[in-house]
Amino acid sequence: MQVTRKTFDEVMVPNYNPASMVPVKGVGSRVWDQEGTEYIDFAGGIAVNVLGHCHPELVATLKEQGEKLWHLSNVFTNEPSMRLAKKLTDATFAERVYFANSGAEANEAALKLARRFALDHFGESKDQIISFKQGFHGRTFFTVTVGGQAAYSDGFGPKPGAIDHVDYNDLSALEAAMSDRTCAVMMEPLQGEGGIISPTQEFVEGVRALCDKHNALLIFDEVQSGVGRTGHLYAYMGLGVTPDILTTAKSLGGGFPIGAMLTTEEIAKSLKPGTHGSTYGGNPLACAVAEKALDIVNTPEVLEGVLKKEALFREGIKAINDKYKVFTEVRGKGMLLGCALNEDYKGRARDFLVASAANGLMCLVAGANVVRFAPSLVIPDEDIKEGLERFERAVAHVVNG
Ligand SMILES: *Cc1c(COP(=O)(O)O)cnc(C)c1O
């Protein structure tokens, strides 16, 4: 059956507006579309393809597990999920893991756990959840309400309650909003969708201290920042501030859908048998691939490589900007970078994305004013160089009209 981009409009719910080409094949950080046109991939499937496309070791693991056992449900446990959980707990602060299928589901579990933990230990009145404006935590109704963008959460009827938002990096606003009624604070330790905003050191440390003061749980949403993206296995490690609950997804499966919520033994106790669950969560196929991705990412070569590649990106973008004067700064860390547009190009991030695609480069935006790069952590240096050359042509195109 022949399908084209036009088919999308005929059969899909119109909640997305995908690019005009249809990719059919990927190898490493290169992708080809139906016409055979080649692209360099700085988008990484939105910070998912942590080892690029069709990494040979992930393909081998997928094939091997695919011939062994695909699915059981939570009525049985399985070897890949236990191995992956063991490796995640060995590598982080966490002692217990809950598996889900996406970032939103991992966050949904984290929020439900925080509410249940507060109920178990402090009673019904401790229900307030505080999160940050421009934050993004997924699209289920609870997570989208906790996310700080009304445009995503409005228009679906009554929202889950007791959720408040304050400005990111504004410690006194958080302090004013918090009390012993606060059950949890949820934050991204590097805001992704909201525009690639890093927290100040003072802010993250202050958030931790306020949570301790009010017996509130600190939830780090590392769905985008996790699994090596910042050059640390998780961003919290680079900040030196440890959360009580951490969620991870996107890069975790290297392209295979999986999410996980990590926490301590003490907090985990509040999710007793029957309190929460997922049919697919802990699926052996997903866990086998994620285990392999984690094995590869959590090595000094890959993590140190991320910082070297970041330097290449920053150098290249600076050279482009010296010539064309379009950005105010490059934000973010490691392989999660945002080029913030200056006043002259305000609101035009999408124009840069469209021009990039026309020049053989896949990239992303983060809001209307930031062009975002979230490539594979092992993108070859030649692909960075050539991708930036294509990006320069795209920038020139936008600047010259
Ligand atoms: C992408 C993202 C999510 C949602 O993940 P899904 O897998 O799309 O549900 C949640 N939090 C953050 C920080 C994200 O970047």
Side-chain angles (χ1 to χ4, degrees):
M1 193 205 293
Q2 194 61 34
V3 290
T4 66
R5 172 63 180 78
K6 193 167 162 276
T7 316
F8 181 93
D9 298 328
E10 292 162 0
V11 296
M12 299 288 192
V13 167
N15 63 318
Y16 303 120
N17 180 24
S20 57
M21 78 286 201
V22 180
V24 292
K25 188 178 114 172
V27 178
S29 287
R30 307 249 171 176
V31 175
W32 290 266
D33 70 12
Q34 284 182 325
E35 317 289 301
T37 305
E38 180 227 58
Y39 300 85
I40 290 177
D41 188 2
F42 282 2
I46 315 190
V48 166
N49 301 319
V50 77
L51 298 170
H53 296 274
C54 301
H55 188 285
E57 290 191 60
L58 296 190
V59 172
T61 301
L62 184 65
K63 284 186 179 161
E64 196 190 317
Q65 187 61 39
E67 287 171 355
K68 251 191 219 160
L69 188 66
W70 287 27
H71 177 75
L72 289 160
S73 88
N74 46 53
V75 175
F76 305 94
T77 188
N78 65 77
E79 292 178 353
S81 71
M82 289 188 283
R83 282 201 308 264
L84 176 59
K86 181 85 179 80
K87 287 178 180 179
L88 285 168
T89 54
D90 284 349
T92 65
F93 76 96
E95 297 153 338
R96 293 291 184 269
V97 178
Y98 167 83
F99 286 118
N101 311 291
S102 66
E105 283 179 57
N107 284 333
E108 186 81 19
L111 293 165
K112 284 177 72 178
L113 171 58
R115 282 266 177 85
R116 186 57 69 98
F117 179 81
L119 182 70
D120 287 350
H121 296 271
F122 304 97
E124 255 175 28
S125 64
K126 195 176 180 67
D127 62 359
Q128 183 199 32
I129 289 165
I130 304 182
S131 55
F132 298 94
K133 291 176 191 166
Q134 309 307 320
F136 184 78
H137 302 296
R139 298 287 200 148
T140 65
F141 207 14
F142 198 172
T143 57
V144 85
T145 306
V146 172
Q149 281 163 282
Y152 294 162
S153 58
D154 286 3
F156 300 102
K159 295 174 185 172
I163 298 166
D164 292 305
H165 299 96
V166 299
D167 283 332
Y168 198 70
N169 276 331
D170 185 344
L171 199 57
S172 45
L174 179 66
E175 186 168 17
M178 279 183 88
S179 69
D180 288 344
R181 258 198 61 226
T182 309
C183 148
V185 174
M186 180 177 248
M187 71 179 273
E188 295 163 84
L190 194 178
Q191 281 195 332
E193 303 301 313
I196 313 294
I197 317 280
S198 295
T200 65
Q201 191 64 33
E202 185 201 0
F203 179 67
V204 251
E205 284 172 12
V207 175
R208 178 70 270 180
L210 284 170
C211 286
D212 291 341
K213 180 178 166 199
H214 294 290
N215 290 313
L217 298 181
L218 177 55
I219 306 170
F220 273 180
D221 177 348
E222 293 231 31
V223 169
Q224 188 153 169
S225 61
V227 196
R229 200 145 285 281
T230 64
H232 300 275
L233 183 62
Y234 285 98
Y236 86 84
M237 296 169 175
L239 294 165
V241 171
T242 304
D244 301 297
I245 302 176
L246 180 150
T247 56
T248 175
K250 290 203 167 97
S251 292
L252 182 62
F256 202 101
I258 184 171
M261 176 193 71
L262 279 56
T263 189
T264 64
E265 179 189 1
E266 171 65 14
I267 297 167
K269 279 183 195 155
S270 285
L271 288 187
K272 296 178 179 57
T275 43
H276 190 57
S278 158
T279 299
Y280 287 121
N283 172 286
L285 207 46
C287 290
V289 176
E291 181 195 4
K292 179 56 75 178
L294 183 67
D295 283 345
I296 298 172
V297 169
N298 196 18
T299 54
E301 305 83 82
V302 171
L303 295 177
E304 285 162 20
V306 167
L307 298 180
K308 293 191 192 122
K309 290 176 195 301
E310 174 185 357
L312 286 181
F313 267 99
R314 284 185 178 274
E315 245 169 67
I317 298 164
K318 185 178 179 303
I320 293 170
N321 199 38
D322 285 346
K323 227 158 134 183
Y324 295 96
K325 313 255 182 293
V326 281
F327 308 122
T328 54
E329 58 174 342
V330 178
R331 301 177 189 155
K333 195 153 184 225
M335 290 298 94
L336 184 54
L337 297 172
C339 311
L341 295 171
N342 65 25
E343 276 300 314
D344 294 344
Y345 297 92
K346 209 172 169 186
R348 293 187 58 193
R350 211 184 142 77
D351 293 349
F352 287 84
L353 178 141
V354 170
S356 294
N359 283 281
L361 179 71
M362 293 171 152
C363 62
L364 301 165
V365 299
N369 299 313
V370 177
V371 181
R372 172 173 41 157
F373 299 143
S376 153
L377 306 190
V378 297
I379 180 171
D381 293 353
E382 312 85 84
D383 289 4
I384 296 177
K385 200 169 152 274
E386 197 176 331
L388 286 171
E389 283 165 15
R390 296 180 188 188
F391 187 56
E392 175 165 352
R393 288 201 284 278
V395 169
H397 178 84
V398 174
V399 169
N400 300 325

